[in-house]
Amino acid sequence: MKSKEFSENVALNIESPEKEGHYKVNTIAYGSGKDKHRFEYAEGAEIITPTINCEKFIDGWDGKNGWWRSKFWGFNASKIPLNARVWFPESKERFPLVLIVHGDHSMQDFSDTGYAYLANLLASRGYIVASIDQNFFNIGWSYYFGNLKDENDARAITLLEHLKLWESWNLEDSNLFFNKVDLNNIALIGHSRGGEAVAIAGLLNTLPNYPDDLNIKFDYGFNIKSIVAIAPVDGVYKPYGKKVSLSNLNYLTLHGSYDGEVQNFMGLNQYNRLKFTDSLYHFKSSLYIHGANHGQFNTTWGNKDSYSPFAKLLNLKPLISDKDQQQIAKIFISGFLDATLKNKKKYINLFSNPNFQTEWLPNSIRLNEFEDSTTEYIFTPEKDFSHPTKSREDITIKTDYLLQWKENKGLHGNKEIVLSWDNSNMNTYPYLSLNFESQPKIIDSSSVLVFSTRSLTDSAFTDNKIINEISEEKDLSKYFIDFTIILKDNDGETVRCSLSDISFLHPPLKVALTKTDAFLSKYETKSISQSYRLSIKKFIKTNPNFNLQNLKSICFVFDKISKGKVVIDNIGFAKDLNFL
């Protein structure tokens, strides 16, 4: 591979966030004290907790379903317990609080135990971690009968009620957790339906009333700084008839290409809706893991995703191991929490450029997007579908020699630009150029040029082995998209870099979820965007005569491969992470 000379902090010089911390970890459980099935939430509970009434937030806990569900659990929707398993450092210090919540799974197969691998790591590194029991909201007896409806807001309300417990315990001098909880630094982690529930909790936490019944007053207002959504669903609950939109939170979402339960990367929907509007620093990142599935993020769920009605037909051969999948989750979630709750900014580089390989990351294909609150876009199709689209009135857009140049509705609630070219028989190269009539004020030597792009060019990438097989080859043009980015000043001086100087643009992945599809070579194409950040300072070093203060144009020149088709989205500028 090439040197990636235009990316930020390529040599990260950081220890793996998967490394065990120096704190000794203790564990307890708290609960109602009356659980029919779980000792840890009955006689084994070290703290007895109250129940809450969720009747207003749940549909379907009635009729035969409600009778059977209440008989199994020993309670109904009016007496939902607050149960959790806790991992915490043995120390007198204060620590950030992290709640983890599972998603929908067979309610008899208890899901809250499946994140011990993550909770134990985080506790050793200085976090109090509670894995929340919400098995009573889950499917029962079959995938088709006995299910609740529209209960994701109940999952969210329950999380916020757990935070109320922690707030009270932090003030009770007789409580084990007296003065040990840093309530200014709270994170929520959710998996599957829990991945949407944590986003809903992030929204309801800021509202004075329940959107579906304004007679229900809220007074939460916790300092939730960060949200992690693992293979989340999206749109199960719609306050005011709209999907949940968040603002001014740090957000990380992870998804696997072989997810047999949530087959589309729905976390990108929330990612695109999340906006930064205040003066504080925030960032959001998405991570798409080729070969990861839905269930292996939870050690009790396994490699056969539970919602697939034909689980035995799932194509398991391309899956990465559960160990590798959980290792990736630990690295990125631990690094994300260190960056956002402990102000360890060096870990932000892990998300702005995750394509690097180290001895502590499994050698897998990972595709990411990244945006922080210093980002200001100058070219984005989000505002309308006019042609061309720009975010500044003093920009003109020029293109030439392209086969196709159009605006397109994206896969995740966004809009994007599609460009294609074929210069096989041409003496010049197709391009997209943004031309400035006045100098953009947001650009200086501490800036980076940012944009997102994804390839629509056909490829043969079907599994992680291929990346290993070709990694030693010098010419990667037959596998990856590459093009040139040129900056030009008013005097005609230019500086340039190739996309491959930063990181290759991965071609679309081909996925066969079932054994039948694999046998018939019937692959679904997965095209996922990647974010790029090009250091302006390193651009300038390539030509000392270039005058950044007289920037005239930014040009994307498709000169590296003869044929191609790409999406380009969200071109702009941000602060170099080294200057934060």
Side-chain angles (χ1 to χ4, degrees), residues 376-402:
E376 187 172 336
Y377 293 119
I378 59 173
F379 177 87
T380 173
E382 292 305 307
K383 291 188 175 182
D384 55 53
F385 268 110
S386 62
H387 173 77
T389 306
K390 55 191 177 182
S391 296
R392 292 167 52 106
E393 293 303 320
D394 60 346
I395 294 176
T396 57
I397 302 172
K398 294 182 179 179
T399 66
D400 210 349
Y401 310 113
L402 290 166

PDB file of all heavy atoms in Angstrom, residues 376-402:
ATOM      1  N   GLU A 376     -17.416  22.418   7.948  1.00  0.00           N
ATOM      2  CA  GLU A 376     -18.299  23.337   7.231  1.00  0.00           C
ATOM      3  C   GLU A 376     -18.275  22.946   5.756  1.00  0.00           C
ATOM      4  O   GLU A 376     -17.225  22.953   5.123  1.00  0.00           O
ATOM      5  CB  GLU A 376     -17.843  24.782   7.409  1.00  0.00           C
ATOM      6  CG  GLU A 376     -18.818  25.791   6.838  1.00  0.00           C
ATOM      7  CD  GLU A 376     -18.464  27.224   7.181  1.00  0.00           C
ATOM      8  OE1 GLU A 376     -17.767  27.431   8.190  1.00  0.00           O
ATOM      9  OE2 GLU A 376     -18.871  28.128   6.431  1.00  0.00           O
ATOM     10  N   TYR A 377     -19.444  22.604   5.238  1.00  0.00           N
ATOM     11  CA  TYR A 377     -19.508  22.127   3.859  1.00  0.00           C
ATOM     12  C   TYR A 377     -19.715  23.284   2.882  1.00  0.00           C
ATOM     13  O   TYR A 377     -20.436  24.247   3.171  1.00  0.00           O
ATOM     14  CB  TYR A 377     -20.639  21.111   3.698  1.00  0.00           C
ATOM     15  CG  TYR A 377     -20.391  19.824   4.454  1.00  0.00           C
ATOM     16  CD1 TYR A 377     -21.251  19.403   5.459  1.00  0.00           C
ATOM     17  CD2 TYR A 377     -19.271  19.047   4.172  1.00  0.00           C
ATOM     18  CE1 TYR A 377     -21.021  18.232   6.158  1.00  0.00           C
ATOM     19  CE2 TYR A 377     -19.029  17.878   4.870  1.00  0.00           C
ATOM     20  CZ  TYR A 377     -19.903  17.474   5.859  1.00  0.00           C
ATOM     21  OH  TYR A 377     -19.657  16.311   6.559  1.00  0.00           O
ATOM     22  N   ILE A 378     -19.077  23.164   1.720  1.00  0.00           N
ATOM     23  CA  ILE A 378     -19.259  24.144   0.653  1.00  0.00           C
ATOM     24  C   ILE A 378     -19.998  23.538  -0.544  1.00  0.00           C
ATOM     25  O   ILE A 378     -20.447  24.261  -1.420  1.00  0.00           O
ATOM     26  CB  ILE A 378     -17.898  24.706   0.177  1.00  0.00           C
ATOM     27  CG1 ILE A 378     -16.991  23.587  -0.332  1.00  0.00           C
ATOM     28  CG2 ILE A 378     -17.218  25.483   1.301  1.00  0.00           C
ATOM     29  CD1 ILE A 378     -15.702  24.070  -0.970  1.00  0.00           C
ATOM     30  N   PHE A 379     -20.118  22.229  -0.545  1.00  0.00           N
ATOM     31  CA  PHE A 379     -20.759  21.536  -1.659  1.00  0.00           C
ATOM     32  C   PHE A 379     -21.487  20.336  -1.097  1.00  0.00           C
ATOM     33  O   PHE A 379     -20.876  19.405  -0.592  1.00  0.00           O
ATOM     34  CB  PHE A 379     -19.694  21.094  -2.667  1.00  0.00           C
ATOM     35  CG  PHE A 379     -20.218  20.305  -3.839  1.00  0.00           C
ATOM     36  CD1 PHE A 379     -20.681  20.947  -4.972  1.00  0.00           C
ATOM     37  CD2 PHE A 379     -20.234  18.918  -3.823  1.00  0.00           C
ATOM     38  CE1 PHE A 379     -21.141  20.226  -6.068  1.00  0.00           C
ATOM     39  CE2 PHE A 379     -20.696  18.190  -4.903  1.00  0.00           C
ATOM     40  CZ  PHE A 379     -21.159  18.845  -6.030  1.00  0.00           C
ATOM     41  N   THR A 380     -22.806  20.383  -1.113  1.00  0.00           N
ATOM     42  CA  THR A 380     -23.602  19.281  -0.609  1.00  0.00           C
ATOM     43  C   THR A 380     -24.953  19.292  -1.292  1.00  0.00           C
ATOM     44  O   THR A 380     -25.527  20.354  -1.513  1.00  0.00           O
ATOM     45  CB  THR A 380     -23.787  19.362   0.916  1.00  0.00           C
ATOM     46  OG1 THR A 380     -24.699  18.349   1.341  1.00  0.00           O
ATOM     47  CG2 THR A 380     -24.297  20.720   1.350  1.00  0.00           C
ATOM     48  N   PRO A 381     -25.471  18.143  -1.655  1.00  0.00           N
ATOM     49  CA  PRO A 381     -26.786  18.088  -2.301  1.00  0.00           C
ATOM     50  C   PRO A 381     -27.949  18.031  -1.324  1.00  0.00           C
ATOM     51  O   PRO A 381     -29.072  17.794  -1.735  1.00  0.00           O
ATOM     52  CB  PRO A 381     -26.703  16.797  -3.121  1.00  0.00           C
ATOM     53  CG  PRO A 381     -25.780  15.935  -2.344  1.00  0.00           C
ATOM     54  CD  PRO A 381     -24.786  16.847  -1.685  1.00  0.00           C
ATOM     55  N   GLU A 382     -27.708  18.258  -0.040  1.00  0.00           N
ATOM     56  CA  GLU A 382     -28.766  18.081   0.954  1.00  0.00           C
ATOM     57  C   GLU A 382     -29.874  19.123   0.851  1.00  0.00           C
ATOM     58  O   GLU A 382     -31.013  18.869   1.211  1.00  0.00           O
ATOM     59  CB  GLU A 382     -28.164  18.111   2.363  1.00  0.00           C
ATOM     60  CG  GLU A 382     -27.290  16.920   2.670  1.00  0.00           C
ATOM     61  CD  GLU A 382     -28.024  15.604   2.462  1.00  0.00           C
ATOM     62  OE1 GLU A 382     -29.109  15.432   3.014  1.00  0.00           O
ATOM     63  OE2 GLU A 382     -27.525  14.757   1.711  1.00  0.00           O
ATOM     64  N   LYS A 383     -29.566  20.330   0.381  1.00  0.00           N
ATOM     65  CA  LYS A 383     -30.551  21.400   0.442  1.00  0.00           C
ATOM     66  C   LYS A 383     -31.659  21.252  -0.590  1.00  0.00           C
ATOM     67  O   LYS A 383     -32.797  21.604  -0.350  1.00  0.00           O
ATOM     68  CB  LYS A 383     -29.849  22.749   0.278  1.00  0.00           C
ATOM     69  CG  LYS A 383     -28.968  23.110   1.472  1.00  0.00           C
ATOM     70  CD  LYS A 383     -28.436  24.513   1.366  1.00  0.00           C
ATOM     71  CE  LYS A 383     -27.671  24.898   2.616  1.00  0.00           C
ATOM     72  NZ  LYS A 383     -27.169  26.295   2.561  1.00  0.00           N
ATOM     73  N   ASP A 384     -31.328  20.744  -1.758  1.00  0.00           N
ATOM     74  CA  ASP A 384     -32.346  20.612  -2.795  1.00  0.00           C
ATOM     75  C   ASP A 384     -31.824  19.666  -3.862  1.00  0.00           C
ATOM     76  O   ASP A 384     -30.747  19.115  -3.753  1.00  0.00           O
ATOM     77  CB  ASP A 384     -32.690  21.979  -3.414  1.00  0.00           C
ATOM     78  CG  ASP A 384     -31.448  22.687  -3.945  1.00  0.00           C
ATOM     79  OD1 ASP A 384     -30.706  22.059  -4.732  1.00  0.00           O
ATOM     80  OD2 ASP A 384     -31.235  23.855  -3.577  1.00  0.00           O
ATOM     81  N   PHE A 385     -32.601  19.497  -4.916  1.00  0.00           N
ATOM     82  CA  PHE A 385     -32.184  18.651  -6.024  1.00  0.00           C
ATOM     83  C   PHE A 385     -31.886  19.480  -7.264  1.00  0.00           C
ATOM     84  O   PHE A 385     -31.972  18.995  -8.379  1.00  0.00           O
ATOM     85  CB  PHE A 385     -33.271  17.612  -6.349  1.00  0.00           C
ATOM     86  CG  PHE A 385     -33.075  16.326  -5.608  1.00  0.00           C
ATOM     87  CD1 PHE A 385     -33.932  15.965  -4.592  1.00  0.00           C
ATOM     88  CD2 PHE A 385     -32.028  15.490  -5.920  1.00  0.00           C
ATOM     89  CE1 PHE A 385     -33.753  14.766  -3.907  1.00  0.00           C
ATOM     90  CE2 PHE A 385     -31.839  14.294  -5.247  1.00  0.00           C
ATOM     91  CZ  PHE A 385     -32.704  13.932  -4.238  1.00  0.00           C
ATOM     92  N   SER A 386     -31.565  20.756  -7.087  1.00  0.00           N
ATOM     93  CA  SER A 386     -31.228  21.586  -8.247  1.00  0.00           C
ATOM     94  C   SER A 386     -29.886  21.149  -8.820  1.00  0.00           C
ATOM     95  O   SER A 386     -29.091  20.492  -8.166  1.00  0.00           O
ATOM     96  CB  SER A 386     -31.170  23.051  -7.840  1.00  0.00           C
ATOM     97  OG  SER A 386     -30.150  23.251  -6.871  1.00  0.00           O
ATOM     98  N   HIS A 387     -29.626  21.546 -10.033  1.00  0.00           N
ATOM     99  CA  HIS A 387     -28.373  21.152 -10.695  1.00  0.00           C
ATOM    100  C   HIS A 387     -27.710  22.400 -11.256  1.00  0.00           C
ATOM    101  O   HIS A 387     -28.305  23.099 -12.065  1.00  0.00           O
ATOM    102  CB  HIS A 387     -28.677  20.185 -11.832  1.00  0.00           C
ATOM    103  CG  HIS A 387     -27.462  19.866 -12.665  1.00  0.00           C
ATOM    104  ND1 HIS A 387     -26.493  19.006 -12.248  1.00  0.00           N
ATOM    105  CD2 HIS A 387     -27.055  20.323 -13.874  1.00  0.00           C
ATOM    106  CE1 HIS A 387     -25.563  18.913 -13.181  1.00  0.00           C
ATOM    107  NE2 HIS A 387     -25.887  19.707 -14.169  1.00  0.00           N
ATOM    108  N   PRO A 388     -26.512  22.752 -10.824  1.00  0.00           N
ATOM    109  CA  PRO A 388     -25.734  22.067  -9.790  1.00  0.00           C
ATOM    110  C   PRO A 388     -26.117  22.539  -8.398  1.00  0.00           C
ATOM    111  O   PRO A 388     -26.880  23.482  -8.260  1.00  0.00           O
ATOM    112  CB  PRO A 388     -24.304  22.483 -10.127  1.00  0.00           C
ATOM    113  CG  PRO A 388     -24.464  23.864 -10.667  1.00  0.00           C
ATOM    114  CD  PRO A 388     -25.767  23.859 -11.450  1.00  0.00           C
ATOM    115  N   THR A 389     -25.535  21.882  -7.376  1.00  0.00           N
ATOM    116  CA  THR A 389     -25.832  22.213  -5.988  1.00  0.00           C
ATOM    117  C   THR A 389     -24.581  22.738  -5.312  1.00  0.00           C
ATOM    118  O   THR A 389     -23.492  22.236  -5.530  1.00  0.00           O
ATOM    119  CB  THR A 389     -26.315  20.961  -5.240  1.00  0.00           C
ATOM    120  OG1 THR A 389     -27.407  20.406  -5.946  1.00  0.00           O
ATOM    121  CG2 THR A 389     -26.755  21.304  -3.837  1.00  0.00           C
ATOM    122  N   LYS A 390     -24.751  23.748  -4.478  1.00  0.00           N
ATOM    123  CA  LYS A 390     -23.620  24.302  -3.743  1.00  0.00           C
ATOM    124  C   LYS A 390     -24.146  24.900  -2.460  1.00  0.00           C
ATOM    125  O   LYS A 390     -25.333  25.169  -2.305  1.00  0.00           O
ATOM    126  CB  LYS A 390     -22.890  25.352  -4.571  1.00  0.00           C
ATOM    127  CG  LYS A 390     -23.808  26.470  -5.070  1.00  0.00           C
ATOM    128  CD  LYS A 390     -23.128  27.332  -6.102  1.00  0.00           C
ATOM    129  CE  LYS A 390     -24.103  28.388  -6.635  1.00  0.00           C
ATOM    130  NZ  LYS A 390     -23.510  29.217  -7.677  1.00  0.00           N
ATOM    131  N   SER A 391     -23.262  25.127  -1.513  1.00  0.00           N
ATOM    132  CA  SER A 391     -23.656  25.700  -0.236  1.00  0.00           C
ATOM    133  C   SER A 391     -23.205  27.149  -0.097  1.00  0.00           C
ATOM    134  O   SER A 391     -23.511  27.797   0.882  1.00  0.00           O
ATOM    135  CB  SER A 391     -23.067  24.863   0.917  1.00  0.00           C
ATOM    136  OG  SER A 391     -23.610  23.572   0.890  1.00  0.00           O
ATOM    137  N   ARG A 392     -22.467  27.653  -1.071  1.00  0.00           N
ATOM    138  CA  ARG A 392     -22.020  29.053  -1.067  1.00  0.00           C
ATOM    139  C   ARG A 392     -22.384  29.689  -2.397  1.00  0.00           C
ATOM    140  O   ARG A 392     -22.222  29.089  -3.461  1.00  0.00           O
ATOM    141  CB  ARG A 392     -20.505  29.121  -0.867  1.00  0.00           C
ATOM    142  CG  ARG A 392     -20.005  28.697   0.503  1.00  0.00           C
ATOM    143  CD  ARG A 392     -18.486  28.513   0.470  1.00  0.00           C
ATOM    144  NE  ARG A 392     -17.812  29.679  -0.085  1.00  0.00           N
ATOM    145  CZ  ARG A 392     -17.114  30.560   0.644  1.00  0.00           C
ATOM    146  NH1 ARG A 392     -17.045  30.410   1.940  1.00  0.00           N
ATOM    147  NH2 ARG A 392     -16.514  31.574   0.070  1.00  0.00           N
ATOM    148  N   GLU A 393     -22.843  30.938  -2.332  1.00  0.00           N
ATOM    149  CA  GLU A 393     -23.254  31.620  -3.554  1.00  0.00           C
ATOM    150  C   GLU A 393     -22.071  32.056  -4.398  1.00  0.00           C
ATOM    151  O   GLU A 393     -22.222  32.373  -5.582  1.00  0.00           O
ATOM    152  CB  GLU A 393     -24.125  32.836  -3.206  1.00  0.00           C
ATOM    153  CG  GLU A 393     -25.466  32.465  -2.592  1.00  0.00           C
ATOM    154  CD  GLU A 393     -26.277  31.553  -3.496  1.00  0.00           C
ATOM    155  OE1 GLU A 393     -26.275  31.766  -4.721  1.00  0.00           O
ATOM    156  OE2 GLU A 393     -26.904  30.617  -2.972  1.00  0.00           O
ATOM    157  N   ASP A 394     -20.866  32.109  -3.792  1.00  0.00           N
ATOM    158  CA  ASP A 394     -19.695  32.574  -4.547  1.00  0.00           C
ATOM    159  C   ASP A 394     -18.901  31.411  -5.144  1.00  0.00           C
ATOM    160  O   ASP A 394     -17.718  31.535  -5.431  1.00  0.00           O
ATOM    161  CB  ASP A 394     -18.789  33.418  -3.651  1.00  0.00           C
ATOM    162  CG  ASP A 394     -18.269  32.660  -2.441  1.00  0.00           C
ATOM    163  OD1 ASP A 394     -18.810  31.569  -2.153  1.00  0.00           O
ATOM    164  OD2 ASP A 394     -17.330  33.137  -1.793  1.00  0.00           O
ATOM    165  N   ILE A 395     -19.561  30.260  -5.329  1.00  0.00           N
ATOM    166  CA  ILE A 395     -18.918  29.098  -5.934  1.00  0.00           C
ATOM    167  C   ILE A 395     -19.604  28.782  -7.258  1.00  0.00           C
ATOM    168  O   ILE A 395     -20.837  28.756  -7.335  1.00  0.00           O
ATOM    169  CB  ILE A 395     -18.995  27.862  -5.016  1.00  0.00           C
ATOM    170  CG1 ILE A 395     -18.180  28.089  -3.744  1.00  0.00           C
ATOM    171  CG2 ILE A 395     -18.496  26.607  -5.727  1.00  0.00           C
ATOM    172  CD1 ILE A 395     -18.297  26.948  -2.756  1.00  0.00           C
ATOM    173  N   THR A 396     -18.795  28.565  -8.274  1.00  0.00           N
ATOM    174  CA  THR A 396     -19.328  28.039  -9.530  1.00  0.00           C
ATOM    175  C   THR A 396     -18.803  26.628  -9.720  1.00  0.00           C
ATOM    176  O   THR A 396     -17.691  26.295  -9.300  1.00  0.00           O
ATOM    177  CB  THR A 396     -18.909  28.905 -10.728  1.00  0.00           C
ATOM    178  OG1 THR A 396     -17.470  28.981 -10.780  1.00  0.00           O
ATOM    179  CG2 THR A 396     -19.483  30.301 -10.617  1.00  0.00           C
ATOM    180  N   ILE A 397     -19.616  25.791 -10.321  1.00  0.00           N
ATOM    181  CA  ILE A 397     -19.273  24.383 -10.501  1.00  0.00           C
ATOM    182  C   ILE A 397     -19.119  24.099 -11.975  1.00  0.00           C
ATOM    183  O   ILE A 397     -19.988  24.454 -12.783  1.00  0.00           O
ATOM    184  CB  ILE A 397     -20.362  23.479  -9.890  1.00  0.00           C
ATOM    185  CG1 ILE A 397     -20.528  23.793  -8.401  1.00  0.00           C
ATOM    186  CG2 ILE A 397     -20.025  22.006 -10.094  1.00  0.00           C
ATOM    187  CD1 ILE A 397     -21.702  23.097  -7.761  1.00  0.00           C
ATOM    188  N   LYS A 398     -18.000  23.465 -12.321  1.00  0.00           N
ATOM    189  CA  LYS A 398     -17.758  23.106 -13.712  1.00  0.00           C
ATOM    190  C   LYS A 398     -17.455  21.619 -13.813  1.00  0.00           C
ATOM    191  O   LYS A 398     -16.772  21.055 -12.962  1.00  0.00           O
ATOM    192  CB  LYS A 398     -16.586  23.908 -14.285  1.00  0.00           C
ATOM    193  CG  LYS A 398     -16.841  25.401 -14.404  1.00  0.00           C
ATOM    194  CD  LYS A 398     -15.651  26.105 -15.031  1.00  0.00           C
ATOM    195  CE  LYS A 398     -15.902  27.600 -15.171  1.00  0.00           C
ATOM    196  NZ  LYS A 398     -14.745  28.295 -15.768  1.00  0.00           N
ATOM    197  N   THR A 399     -17.971  20.987 -14.835  1.00  0.00           N
ATOM    198  CA  THR A 399     -17.642  19.603 -15.136  1.00  0.00           C
ATOM    199  C   THR A 399     -17.446  19.473 -16.638  1.00  0.00           C
ATOM    200  O   THR A 399     -17.983  20.260 -17.414  1.00  0.00           O
ATOM    201  CB  THR A 399     -18.763  18.633 -14.707  1.00  0.00           C
ATOM    202  OG1 THR A 399     -19.925  18.888 -15.503  1.00  0.00           O
ATOM    203  CG2 THR A 399     -19.107  18.795 -13.246  1.00  0.00           C
ATOM    204  N   ASP A 400     -16.685  18.469 -17.042  1.00  0.00           N
ATOM    205  CA  ASP A 400     -16.540  18.197 -18.463  1.00  0.00           C
ATOM    206  C   ASP A 400     -16.081  16.756 -18.657  1.00  0.00           C
ATOM    207  O   ASP A 400     -15.450  16.170 -17.773  1.00  0.00           O
ATOM    208  CB  ASP A 400     -15.546  19.147 -19.120  1.00  0.00           C
ATOM    209  CG  ASP A 400     -15.878  19.406 -20.598  1.00  0.00           C
ATOM    210  OD1 ASP A 400     -16.743  18.682 -21.136  1.00  0.00           O
ATOM    211  OD2 ASP A 400     -15.293  20.327 -21.183  1.00  0.00           O
ATOM    212  N   TYR A 401     -16.443  16.200 -19.803  1.00  0.00           N
ATOM    213  CA  TYR A 401     -16.018  14.875 -20.262  1.00  0.00           C
ATOM    214  C   TYR A 401     -16.584  13.730 -19.414  1.00  0.00           C
ATOM    215  O   TYR A 401     -16.112  12.589 -19.513  1.00  0.00           O
ATOM    216  CB  TYR A 401     -14.485  14.764 -20.300  1.00  0.00           C
ATOM    217  CG  TYR A 401     -13.815  15.889 -21.022  1.00  0.00           C
ATOM    218  CD1 TYR A 401     -13.014  16.805 -20.330  1.00  0.00           C
ATOM    219  CD2 TYR A 401     -13.983  16.071 -22.391  1.00  0.00           C
ATOM    220  CE1 TYR A 401     -12.399  17.853 -20.981  1.00  0.00           C
ATOM    221  CE2 TYR A 401     -13.379  17.128 -23.061  1.00  0.00           C
ATOM    222  CZ  TYR A 401     -12.591  18.020 -22.338  1.00  0.00           C
ATOM    223  OH  TYR A 401     -12.000  19.063 -22.996  1.00  0.00           O
ATOM    224  N   LEU A 402     -17.581  14.014 -18.593  1.00  0.00           N
ATOM    225  CA  LEU A 402     -18.199  12.963 -17.784  1.00  0.00           C
ATOM    226  C   LEU A 402     -19.307  12.276 -18.574  1.00  0.00           C
ATOM    227  O   LEU A 402     -20.051  12.919 -19.314  1.00  0.00           O
ATOM    228  CB  LEU A 402     -18.788  13.549 -16.507  1.00  0.00           C
ATOM    229  CG  LEU A 402     -17.797  14.047 -15.459  1.00  0.00           C
ATOM    230  CD1 LEU A 402     -18.512  14.905 -14.423  1.00  0.00           C
ATOM    231  CD2 LEU A 402     -17.079  12.888 -14.780  1.00  0.00           C
TER     232      LEU A 402
END
